[in-house]
Amino acid sequence: MSGGVYWDACMQEVPADRLGQTRGDRIGAPRMEGVHAMQKTSMISRRDLLRAAAVASAVPELNGRALVVQGPAQAGSVRVTSDGVISIETSTLRAVLDRGFLVKLESKLTGESFIEGFDRTRFDPLRLIYRGGEAVDAGERLFGNLETRQVSGTCAELRFHNWNTDGVLRVSVDPDSGDLVLEPSAYSSRPGVRACRYVVAGIRRDLRLVAPFYQGVSLELTDPLIQASHWRWPQSWEAGFVILQGRDSGFWIHTQDNRYRYKALQVGAEGMPYLLGLDTEAYGPIDDNLAAGGLAWRINVFKGDWRVPAERYRRWLWMAYDLEKEEARRASWIHQLRMAISWCPTEMAILESLAKRVDPRRVLIHLPHWRTDPYDENYPTYEPSEQAKSFIARAHQLGFHVLPHFNSLEVDPTHPVYSMVRDFQYRDVETKRLYGWSWVEGRSIGVPESNASRLRFRDKKVMVKIHPGLSMWRSLLCERIEANARALNLEAVFIDVTLVTGNLHNCLVEGMTSSEGINRLIHEVSELAGGLAVGGEGLNEVIAQGLSFAQVHLFRSSQKSIEGLERTGGCPLNDFLFGRLCRSFGYSRLGGRDPDEELRMRIHEEHNALPTITIRSAEDIERPTPAVRRVLERASA
């Protein structure tokens, strides 16, 4: 079991009962987001005309689809046309905001409209979100009034005032990309504000949602898998964008956030599947917090399939975090792999049997049981057993690539290190409960809040998560990883639970969020022992920057498959975004022993993960199931 699976549900995607109510050194900053960074004259220069002509004459191809380069054909305009109504035109689109609602979005590339009529009486376009998902409208519905302000030829503002809240929606255009840029913010005298939400409703009904959930999905907005669901960045919403895909075109929304600010995506609501909520969260603690905002949401159209906007986002990501350097640092062998084994037993016969069937240099082995301690106990002690030493040495001799299993965040409360770092345990931003897990009778029951009980139950595999922004924690963990890397002559390691970051009650430690901290930890591990390839759990835009491998989960199906899992494949979005940096491989129940395990293997491969098997002994290699045999045959081809 992975400690990253068992944690408080408030940091995972969860279904919603109604709109807004849920159940339940920064690294590299070449460019700041916001309208002040993008306001430019509306006059078209000779240089812009020449550049636009060049764009029109050279349309590159992307996977057989035309990639529309959104150049600065014109600066664009934002005009207050009447009280509460703002008209926007860019090089790519025409749009209208009516009293804050986006009521028109028309593509100049195809002539299509992507917004249909919808009922504006059920919610306001701007909302405040409190703990527990409580949504409070910030618009005109409750004794509200609205003011419209023309700021410049490319910028306007809407000011909202009502019984409970006040807010601003700043509207501008980016002349270089043709983006419509919306910057929502809101506040109240009532403490406890978690987020500010902007609602995009009336999404055309034939558009599919393409989003970085569980490595990429393409689903109807009415699909039960995503209806009325909430996805928090970066744990479950793995990159800050969402695509609405038609047959050969669509529109997309993204934020160019290089400051690791927490955000979330609301998909639909009860009885209203054709809307999205864009949440900008306030850092915890939120108890006395009154306001939220500060992210710019960019809306634009495209022609082609989802790869067109995804490619543009990838280009921004590479620039924002200087990922060309990261790409150059990756070991060449990671792209030569053909298969992986997750949760491999430390059994010498497996190596000998596998080496007869597949070139070992093409195989990645995730090795969890290599310590003298039982799995997921007594972290951060990492003492290799004699059996593991022999296994790893033989694996290296044959040419296999082995990932011994460490943990990036978790500490056993009975371990001496715990007393040094216990003040920096993760606490939930709303409930303030400790994050962590235990394992009792086949299920997780959380972490004891009794200080005494927390120290008594090693047999229950109690683990708490430590904020990786704490330099002491990173230093202690790296010291232990490096000692093993040198002693065992490791070229790679696996550090579990890297996906578990998000907004916390103790959000900032040493000025870093947990997401920034895990990013830094991964990079520090990669520099140990002359350079290590690092594997981790999950794959998102934060941890992908430093990982070479990612053990990824299926859609809400880490241990048991959900109904409808077969609809979640076929969209290798995260591999498209991050595959040049990081190879993904499968997680659990990948032995092909029944139709469900075969399905799980297939969905991973449809996400372009390394074909992955889970085996119990060498017998599963000697007498493989048909699904395992296919993996072995393909890896040896």
Side-chain angles (χ1 to χ4, degrees):
M1 302 297 173
S2 167
V5 177
Y6 304 102
W7 59 313
D8 193 283
C10 80
M11 285 177 70
Q12 301 186 66
E13 77 294 342
V14 291
D17 291 327
R18 62 177 186 271
L19 180 67
Q21 183 170 30
T22 62
R23 291 175 194 164
D25 252 35
R26 289 171 166 80
I27 301 171
R31 184 165 182 255
M32 295 295 290
E33 179 64 289
V35 295
H36 299 294
M38 67 184 71
Q39 289 178 358
K40 298 183 179 179
T41 176
S42 61
M43 296 181 63
I44 303 175
S45 68
R46 181 173 181 274
R47 181 185 64 182
D48 288 340
L49 286 172
L50 291 173
R51 183 176 172 187
V55 166
S57 63
V59 180
E61 290 284 314
L62 179 64
N63 291 348
R65 299 265 188 165
L67 171 60
V68 177
V69 179
Q70 299 166 349
Q74 59 187 39
S77 64
V78 176
R79 295 181 298 118
V80 176
T81 56
S82 62
D83 184 32
V85 179
I86 298 175
S87 295
I88 304 100
E89 184 166 359
T90 76
S91 58
T92 59
L93 60 82
R94 297 181 184 90
V96 174
L97 293 173
D98 187 351
R99 318 201 76 73
F101 288 105
L102 181 65
V103 297
K104 176 182 177 181
L105 180 63
E106 179 183 286
S107 172
K108 295 171 73 172
L109 307 176
T110 65
E112 294 174 271
S113 294
F114 297 111
I115 299 296
E116 300 174 337
F118 58 93
D119 183 359
R120 303 190 209 176
T121 66
R122 298 183 65 177
F123 53 87
D124 284 339
L126 190 64
R127 319 188 92 190
L128 277 180
I129 309 299
Y130 287 84
R131 59 168 41 89
E134 177 191 356
V136 176
D137 284 314
E140 295 184 286
R141 294 203 306 146
L142 186 61
F143 304 107
N145 68 288
L146 183 148
E147 303 167 1
T148 315
R149 174 175 172 254
Q150 186 80 51
V151 177
S152 70
T154 58
C155 182
E157 288 182 346
L158 291 165
R159 295 175 180 164
F160 298 87
H161 307 278
N162 73 7
W163 190 262
N164 291 312
T165 61
D166 302 275
V168 175
L169 179 64
R170 192 171 177 94
V171 184
S172 63
V173 295
D174 183 336
D176 292 325
S177 63
D179 292 345
L180 162 61
V181 184
L182 303 179
E183 297 181 76
S185 60
Y187 66 96
S188 171
S189 65
R190 173 189 165 191
V193 170
R194 173 158 186 170
C196 169
R197 175 174 297 167
Y198 181 74
V199 181
V200 177
I203 295 169
R204 206 176 73 193
R205 298 191 173 200
D206 65 305
L207 300 179
R208 295 175 68 88
L209 183 90
V210 177
F213 306 155
Y214 290 99
Q215 308 311 303
V217 298
S218 175
L219 296 168
E220 301 287 343
L221 283 163
T222 54
D223 195 300
L225 292 175
I226 56 171
Q227 270 189 318
S229 59
H230 196 68
W231 304 79
R232 294 200 173 109
W233 180 94
Q235 161 64 23
S236 57
W237 188 21
E238 294 157 338
F241 71 92
V242 62
I243 299 168
L244 287 308
Q245 172 76 62
R247 177 176 295 181
D248 293 303
S249 62
F251 77 98
W252 70 303
I253 305 171
H254 76 287
T255 181
Q256 294 183 358
D257 169 32
N258 53 25
R259 294 174 56 194
Y260 299 90
R261 289 171 291 188
Y262 291 116
K263 57 194 77 78
L265 180 68
Q266 174 79 22
V267 180
E270 185 179 14
M272 296 181 290
Y274 302 103
L275 61 80
L276 298 175
L278 307 168
D279 287 9
T280 303
E281 295 194 358
Y283 290 150
I286 63 170
D287 303 68
D288 298 321
N289 185 59
L290 302 175
L295 277 181
W297 299 98
R298 293 167 167 262
I299 302 175
N300 213 331
V301 298
F302 65 91
K303 185 177 180 180
D305 70 6
W306 58 263
R307 292 170 181 82
V308 176
E311 167 63 18
R312 184 183 156 198
Y313 191 82
R314 182 171 63 181
R315 289 199 302 265
W316 170 79
L317 197 71
W318 251 241
M319 178 197 72
Y321 297 105
D322 198 13
L323 295 182
E324 284 188 8
K325 290 182 180 178
E326 283 294 329
E327 193 175 348
R329 292 179 61 231
R330 295 301 186 267
S332 60
W333 60 265
I334 73 171
H335 295 292
Q336 298 166 6
L337 295 168
R338 301 292 297 273
M339 66 169 288
I341 304 178
S342 270
W343 312 102
C344 184
T346 313
E347 180 184 319
M348 199 75 74
I350 290 174
L351 298 176
E352 305 301 337
S353 179
L354 194 58
K356 296 175 184 176
R357 290 161 175 79
V358 182
D359 182 347
R361 294 171 298 178
R362 296 184 173 189
V363 181
L364 185 71
I365 297 176
H366 166 240
L367 190 68
H369 303 290
W370 64 278
R371 302 182 307 141
T372 53
D373 290 294
Y375 178 71
D376 270 0
E377 290 183 27
N378 202 31
Y379 292 151
T381 288
Y382 296 99
E383 294 291 340
S385 67
E386 292 303 317
Q387 181 183 12
K389 290 178 183 178
S390 299
F391 181 94
I392 293 170
R394 180 58 175 158
H396 288 166
Q397 183 182 44
L398 291 169
F400 290 103
H401 303 284
V402 184
L403 299 175
H405 185 108
F406 297 81
N407 196 295
S408 64
L409 301 178
E410 292 180 340
V411 171
D412 187 326
T414 66
H415 195 284
V417 162
Y418 178 69
S419 62
M420 297 175 61
V421 298
R422 60 174 291 177
D423 290 337
F424 300 92
Q425 301 167 98
Y426 276 16
R427 285 200 177 271
D428 180 70
V429 68
E430 294 186 1
T431 67
K432 305 181 186 62
R433 291 178 59 184
L434 282 174
Y435 276 122
W437 70 297
S438 57
W439 194 243
V440 180
E441 297 178 353
R443 66 187 182 95
S444 175
I445 62 171
V447 177
E449 287 291 353
S450 161
N451 290 329
S453 294
R454 208 176 304 135
L455 305 178
R456 291 174 48 214
F457 293 104
R458 177 177 291 187
D459 63 311
K460 304 297 189 296
K461 297 186 181 292
V462 176
M463 289 285 169
V464 296
K465 291 177 170 60
I466 304 300
H467 197 301
L470 184 67
S471 297
M472 180 61 75
W473 167 243
R474 298 197 309 274
S475 177
L476 291 167
L477 180 61
C478 285
E479 178 184 33
R480 287 158 169 79
I481 293 175
E482 181 168 37
N484 280 279
R486 293 192 182 280
L488 300 173
N489 195 29
L490 301 179
E491 61 182 347
V493 296
F494 181 87
I495 53 175
D496 201 11
V497 204
T498 48
L499 81 170
V500 185
T501 70
N503 206 353
L504 300 168
H505 176 64
N506 53 335
C507 186
L508 298 177
V509 171
E510 298 183 20
M512 280 189 280
T513 65
S514 62
S515 302
E516 292 172 285
I518 200 69
N519 183 306
R520 182 158 179 175
L521 173 61
I522 291 168
H523 280 89
E524 290 178 2
V525 171
S526 73
E527 296 166 359
L528 300 174
L532 296 173
V534 182
E537 181 186 10
L539 183 59
N540 59 52
E541 64 184 348
V542 175
I543 59 178
Q545 297 172 36
L547 292 180
S548 293
F549 306 103
Q551 188 184 55
V552 297
H553 296 284
L554 297 171
F555 194 102
R556 297 179 185 159
S557 301
S558 294
Q559 307 295 333
K560 180 180 179 182
S561 299
I562 62 166
E563 184 177 351
L565 178 64
E566 69 278 0
R567 300 196 298 276
T568 64
C571 183
L573 178 55
N574 283 22
D575 180 71
F576 181 87
L577 289 171
F578 313 125
R580 284 155 47 183
L581 296 172
C582 184
R583 304 292 304 278
S584 60
F585 63 101
Y587 183 69
S588 67
R589 297 184 55 232
L590 305 173
R593 299 176 184 91
D594 54 46
D596 180 60
E597 289 198 2
E598 291 183 352
L599 171 65
R600 295 170 70 88
M601 297 172 75
R602 176 171 66 82
I603 298 298
H604 273 308
E605 292 181 32
E606 288 183 12
H607 284 135
N608 284 350
L610 283 169
T612 306
I613 61 175
T614 51
I615 58 176
R616 293 169 292 197
S617 69
E619 181 77 8
D620 292 334
I621 301 295
E622 298 289 346
R623 295 177 176 80
T625 64
V628 169
R629 182 181 298 110
R630 284 193 295 271
V631 171
L632 297 172
E633 290 173 350
R634 288 169 57 186
S636 62

